[in-house]
């Protein structure tokens, strides 16, 4: 299969067809129309084999996740997804050695794109070690983006969903064990909280998606806002499996510092506390108040017993941490 056959077969019409795509896959550039009054929000992420996913990970899951991580960034700004571009680097053996690999990858990517109204409008396809880069583009009404730096003293610190599920699944996989299917799905097929991000536009004072661990990502909000945070660990929303792991080990790093949660962490003026349950119900994911923004700097965590908890490592950092997917 030539490069052009491959693009035509798998990527020419992936996702939703949209009227604002004036020219999509097939020419030197895509030509796109941003609606009047809207601003373009853009984010790019790379998934590299052995760094962001295990080499034997299912291709459909890789396709899903490579788009999901970008949609999660759009969600964290309050942006509405519109377009994606895809740079794919494939090892010499692919797709010949794994004829279904590209079809499976495209299915995972395409399904998620359909679900969120995203059109794949272009990309690049090259040979090399397996690596996937996706750029996402979304719309935000002028001035309505939710930045990291807008938190105010007294705001509630809130988080969607549950924390640490993906981290627990990864721990099991690296130990050669099979994770629970629900946990594995959280690692390999995260659900970007796009509807929630839109619902929080004009409400949340600051927002971030939790990709590197809650402590690190909330830390970015606090640093950008020039404020401190007090976290009540007893309030963290945990699945039964993560709660049991924390109970057994007494180690809170699983919900605080393992990556790949793809939940939204946001700050909310305390007068809006009563609206949280309703917003969560409308968006189909539970929302939990886990702490409060305070004057000062840094993040203070208090255990259910009332003791301070200090994290050894705040979260995943490609240049400071050992690779999350290195079994060694
Ligand atoms: P050029 O050499 O002019 O940069 P390419 O030959 O790389 O163009 O790509 C041809 C067309 O196919 C372009 O419209 C490009 O955006 C699209 N394309 C290439 N690879 C992909 C891909 N993996 N996914 C989606 N579109 C792709
Ligand atoms: Mg060209």
């Amino acid at each position: 299969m030539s490069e052009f056959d491959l693009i035509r077969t798998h990527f020419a019409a992936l996702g939703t067809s949209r009227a604002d795509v004036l020219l999509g896959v097939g020419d030197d550039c895509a030509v796109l129309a941003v609606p009047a009054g809207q601003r373009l929000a853009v984010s790019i992420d790379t998934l590299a084999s052995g760094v962001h996913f295990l080499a034997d990970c299912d291709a459909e899951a890789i396709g899903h996740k490579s788009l999901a991580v970008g949609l999660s960034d759009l969600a964290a700004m309050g942006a509405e997804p519109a377009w994606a571009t895809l740079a794919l680097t494939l090892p010499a053996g692919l797709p010949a050695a794994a004829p279904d690999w590209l079809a499976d990858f495209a299915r995972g990517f395409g399904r998620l794109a359909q679900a969120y109204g995203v059109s794949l409008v272009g990309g690049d396809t090259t040979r090399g070690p397996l690596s996937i880069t996706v750029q996402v583009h979304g719309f935000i009404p002028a001035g309505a983006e939710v930045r990291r730096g807008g938190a105010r003293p007294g705001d509630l610190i809130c988080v969607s969903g549950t924390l640490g599920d993906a981290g627990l699944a990864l721990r099991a996989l690296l130990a050669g064990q099979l994770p629970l299917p629900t946990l594995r799905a959280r690692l390999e097929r995260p659900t970007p909280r796009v509807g929630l991000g839109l619902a929080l536009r004009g409400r949340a004072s600051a927002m971030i998606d939790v990709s590197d661990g809650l402590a690190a990502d909330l830390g970015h909000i606090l640093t950008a806002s020039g404020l401190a945070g007090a976290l009540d660990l007893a309030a963290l929303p945990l699945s039964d499996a993560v709660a049991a792991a924390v109970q057994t080990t007494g180690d809170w790093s699983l919900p605080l510092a393992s990556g790949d949660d793809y939940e939204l962490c946001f700050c909310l003026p305390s007068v809006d506390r009563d609206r949280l349950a309703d917003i969560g119900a409308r968006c189909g994911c539970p929302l939990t108040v886990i702490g409060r923004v305070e004057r000062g700097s840094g993040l203070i965590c208090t255990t259910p017993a009332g003791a301070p908890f200090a994290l050894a490592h705040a979260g995943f950092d490609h240049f400071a941490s050992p690779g999350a997917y290195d079994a060694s």
Side-chain angles (χ1 to χ4, degrees), residues 215-291:
D217 289 320
L218 173 57
H220 295 316
I221 286 186
L222 298 173
T223 302
S225 301
L227 292 167
L231 271 194
D232 173 13
L233 298 183
L236 292 184
L238 307 179
S239 63
D240 291 346
V242 170
V246 170
Q247 182 89 47
T248 318
T249 60
D251 181 5
W252 290 87
S253 63
L254 191 55
L256 287 177
S258 58
D260 283 331
D261 289 316
Y262 296 106
E263 296 296 347
L264 292 181
C265 176
F266 55 95
C267 300
L268 191 77
S270 58
V271 292
D272 286 335
R273 181 190 279 269
D274 293 345
R275 296 181 194 270
L276 263 187
D278 183 49
I279 297 171
R282 265 191 292 128
C283 298
C285 65
L287 305 178
T288 309
V289 177
I290 56 174

Side-chain angles (χ1 to χ4, degrees), residues 3-4 7 11 24-29 86-88 120-125:
E3 179 188 331
F4 300 103
I7 295 166
F11 301 113
V25 169
D27 215 309
D28 294 307
C29 292
L86 165 65
L88 201 53
L120 180 65
V121 298
D124 192 31
T125 308

